Amino acid sequence: MEIVKAVKLHKYFGKLHVLKGADFCANRGEIISVIGPSGSGKSTLLRLLNHLEIADRGSIRIDGQYIAKENAEGRSEYLSGKEVLKICSRLGMVFQGFNLFPHRSVIENLMEAPMMVAGLSKSVAAEKAEVLLGKVGLTDKRDAYPGQLSGGQQQRVAIARALAMDPEIMLFDEPTSALDPELIGEVLNVIKNLAAEDMTMIIVTHEMNFAREISDRVVFMDDGAIRATGTPDEILVNPDHPRIRAFLQKIVRA
Amino acid sequence: MDIDYLSDTIAYIAMGAGVTLKVFFVTLIFSIPLGIICALGKLNRAKALRGIPGALLRGILGGYTWIFRGTPLLLQLFFTYYGLGILSGGRIAFSPEMAAYLTFVFNYAAYFTEIFRGGIQSIGKGQYEAAKALGMNPWLTMKRIILPQAVKIILPPLGNESINLIKDTALCSVITVTEILRNANRVMSRDFNISALVIAAAIYLLMTFVVIQVFRRLEKRYAYYNIR
Ligand SMILES: Nc1ncnc2c1ncn2[C@@H]1O[C@H](COP(=O)(O)OP(=O)(O)OP(=O)(O)O)[C@@H](O)[C@H]1O
Ligand SMILES: [Mg+2]
């Protein structure tokens, strides 16, 4: 049962052709790691699924509903902004740079969208936020401001904030790349716990061990398209694709 | 120089201070919202504002801020008070105070437009993306996420402009608005001594002191977090 399906996505930034016919799908409950060299279009693909970027060509479906459909000329045609926002609210996103709201305390970060978008009352939103803070191990930071937290703590708050909207699909764009090495583990652990809950997850990452451990499927992107997809073992352990081998060697050396 | 003379002079100039304060508050109350609206107009990239309508809107707003920031406030006062009357053959005639309000509101809104635009633009695009990913629409994002953070950034320049505004109100004297400086000047030329000027200076200092304190408080209120 495909909950995310993107077909022949093309994306240009000005003249730069970044996605060149990327096909991507995710089944409900599946955990997919997306790997590939820098500039191959991993972030762009993720951001298209979440409507943070607009596709030029191709179609995107979330749980069977088209948010973008190819028209007769092959251009992507989108639903209205309001409708897209509604469908995309089923996706949560975690950014490399956290993007917490600095003027709001930790608990307020978690309550903002549930109250303003989902229409929860303050008390219900607060209760929910407390539960989520417990889940990411930050109950004692509820009244801190993001600027007072370590990077790892900020990213855990960001994960809890996304979960507060009850997403069915979580997108992670290199959630640990901005972190000091000693803080990576705590964030990966939170993501692993989520994986145990049957959440659909699409994770762009350079953490190969983590990808191998957590993923149902690994997708290799290169030069704007998906060049290989398979089990973690097929892609990460015994890849027969020379580009993957070259990529993995580079990562190991780095 | 006796006590009676001084207290009469102070009372007379204080009447002018009432007018000065009126110009001050009318200007702030109207030019701040106008500035926010113009700043949002300049920054808006909504679908309806792509292409020609958007270019037209930005052109008009750009012309507006250029004209009001690019010519002397004194000239603008003359234009509103005398110039419009001449141009319209006497059909448009404002009272001195009305001419002062109009000129100051549009002049300061032009500065505020640029201050707000800068403040809003200094908020990173990650904030918009995080809000959107949480399902917040552009209006909610602006109201709840962007503007509250922009306020912190624009408070210092806003404070500076408010101090400038107090001093700029003195320009209204040239179109016969009976504010502090005009009254002080009349006393001075009548009695040929400068005590009126000293009193006027003291009143301006008092006013700017209060404004400085108010903004210091406001900035403290926003000091609880840092935008990084
Ligand atoms: N907003 C933008 N404007 C212009 N070019 C962009 C923009 N976003 C991405 N690009 C370019 O598109 C290409 C693909 O970028 P993308 O961020 O998707 O790569 P990536 O696979 O995520 O790389 P990394 O591993 O470095 O994050 C890059 O060449 C990048 O410079
Ligand atoms: Mg990236």
Side-chain angles (χ1 to χ4, degrees):
Chain A
M1 173 56 201
E2 282 164 342
I3 191 164
V4 176
K5 188 160 179 68
V7 180
K8 293 208 183 74
L9 288 180
H10 287 262
K11 175 67 187 171
Y12 292 82
F13 287 113
K15 280 191 184 140
L16 187 66
H17 196 176
V18 172
L19 285 190
K20 307 174 178 174
D23 291 310
F24 180 87
C25 71
N27 295 315
R28 194 179 284 279
E30 203 176 14
I31 296 168
I32 300 176
S33 293
V34 180
I35 63 166
S38 183
S40 57
K42 306 179 296 294
S43 298
T44 305
L45 173 67
L46 221 55
R47 294 161 58 79
L48 280 174
L49 298 181
N50 207 14
H51 197 238
L52 292 179
E53 302 284 358
I54 310 283
D56 292 304
R57 279 186 275 148
S59 66
I60 300 168
R61 251 175 295 173
I62 306 295
D63 203 12
Q65 290 176 286
Y66 279 100
I67 62 170
K69 207 172 190 171
E70 243 181 33
N71 66 13
E73 295 100 65
R75 307 230 126 248
S76 303
E77 241 172 55
Y78 276 81
L79 294 180
S80 76
K82 235 181 169 169
E83 290 167 302
V84 175
L85 198 63
K86 185 135 185 285
I87 297 174
C88 286
S89 70
R90 303 170 65 173
L91 290 81
M93 180 142 185
V94 173
F95 301 87
Q96 185 174 344
F98 328 131
N99 296 345
L100 292 176
F101 304 135
H103 60 309
R104 299 249 193 266
S105 69
V106 165
I107 189 132
E108 287 168 346
N109 264 273
L110 270 62
M111 291 164 62
E112 179 67 27
M115 284 171 63
M116 291 297 137
V117 180
L120 297 193
S121 71
K122 193 169 176 180
S123 57
V124 174
E127 237 170 80
K128 194 172 185 182
E130 298 279 2
V131 172
L132 287 166
L133 280 182
K135 209 162 159 176
V136 298
L138 287 172
T139 303
D140 56 327
K141 297 291 182 194
R142 69 190 294 281
D143 296 316
Y145 284 86
Q148 301 165 332
L149 303 181
S150 74
Q153 291 170 332
Q154 288 191 55
Q155 193 60 299
R156 281 144 68 196
V157 173
I159 293 171
R161 180 179 68 175
L163 293 173
M165 287 302 280
D166 296 321
E168 294 162 57
I169 307 152
M170 282 287 280
L171 310 176
F172 294 86
D173 190 1
E174 300 197 32
T176 59
S177 292
L179 299 179
D180 293 333
E182 73 271 18
L183 301 177
I184 291 176
E186 64 189 61
V187 172
L188 294 185
N189 278 334
V190 167
I191 301 176
K192 277 182 204 163
N193 290 339
L194 275 185
E197 290 180 17
D198 270 350
M199 174 85 71
T200 308
M201 302 208 283
I202 304 169
I203 309 166
V204 175
T205 185
H206 290 296
E207 298 288 330
M208 294 305 153
N209 287 330
F210 169 73
R212 205 175 134 193
E213 196 180 325
I214 196 178
S215 313
D216 298 312
R217 194 148 59 86
V218 177
V219 162
F220 174 70
M221 280 192 81
D222 192 20
D223 191 26
I226 281 147
R227 305 296 172 184
T229 167
T231 64
D233 278 353
E234 285 167 345
I235 303 293
L236 296 173
V237 184
N238 302 305
D240 42 42
H241 204 295
R243 300 284 313 216
I244 304 181
R245 278 208 292 271
F247 168 68
L248 290 178
Q249 265 161 20
K250 228 189 229 160
I251 289 234
V252 171
R253 251 185 278 126
Chain B
M1 213 190 299
D2 57 29
I3 298 290
D4 277 353
Y5 173 79
L6 263 185
S7 65
D8 282 355
T9 308
I10 291 174
Y12 182 60
I13 296 173
M15 263 168 32
V19 176
T20 294
L21 285 176
K22 245 163 65 186
V23 176
F24 177 77
F25 283 112
V26 167
T27 303
L28 281 191
I29 287 167
F30 288 97
S31 62
I32 289 177
L34 188 58
I36 293 177
I37 291 168
C38 291
L40 292 176
K42 274 193 163 183
L43 293 169
N44 200 326
R45 295 291 177 275
K47 247 194 204 134
L49 290 178
R50 294 215 184 109
I52 295 175
L56 199 67
L57 176 70
R58 282 189 290 279
I60 290 171
L61 290 174
Y64 158 64
T65 50
W66 180 46
I67 289 172
F68 276 89
R69 298 196 313 154
T71 59
L73 178 53
L74 192 54
L75 184 154
Q76 293 164 24
L77 277 171
F78 282 144
F79 183 83
T80 316
Y81 188 56
Y82 302 112
L84 282 180
I86 295 168
L87 269 181
S88 66
R91 273 188 301 274
I92 301 177
F94 297 120
S95 70
E97 285 192 17
M98 186 47 88
Y101 294 153
L102 285 172
T103 311
F104 271 73
V105 166
F106 282 104
N107 180 279
Y108 271 78
Y111 284 95
F112 290 153
T113 298
E114 290 308 315
I115 290 174
F116 293 141
R117 188 178 62 83
I120 293 169
Q121 273 183 327
S122 67
I123 308 298
K125 94 179 197 298
Q127 293 288 306
Y128 293 87
E129 294 185 343
K132 185 170 177 190
L134 287 166
M136 298 176 78
N137 63 35
W139 162 242
L140 259 185
T141 304
M142 208 26 97
K143 190 175 86 172
R144 303 277 308 175
I145 307 300
I146 306 302
L147 288 181
Q149 294 183 60
V151 167
K152 181 185 171 87
I153 293 166
I154 64 186
L155 270 180
L158 205 60
N160 277 336
E161 287 302 325
S162 302
I163 292 166
N164 281 340
L165 173 57
I166 287 188
K167 294 178 290 178
D168 277 351
T169 56
L171 293 172
C172 298
S173 61
V174 300
I175 57 166
T176 73
V177 176
T178 53
E179 46 67 70
I180 296 173
L181 190 64
R182 184 170 179 90
N183 285 5
N185 196 22
R186 282 171 100 173
V187 174
M188 182 175 67
S189 30
R190 185 192 63 195
D191 304 339
F192 215 70
N193 77 56
I194 66 155
S195 52
L197 272 195
V198 174
I199 292 166
I203 296 177
Y204 283 120
L205 282 171
L206 184 68
M207 288 180 173
T208 46
F209 177 78
V210 171
V211 170
I212 289 168
Q213 291 307 316
V214 166
F215 275 88
R216 192 166 286 169
R217 291 253 166 96
L218 284 174
E219 283 174 38
K220 257 201 192 136
R221 263 241 297 266
Y222 281 87
Y224 69 90
Y225 74 93
N226 286 315
I227 297 173
R228 295 180 311 158

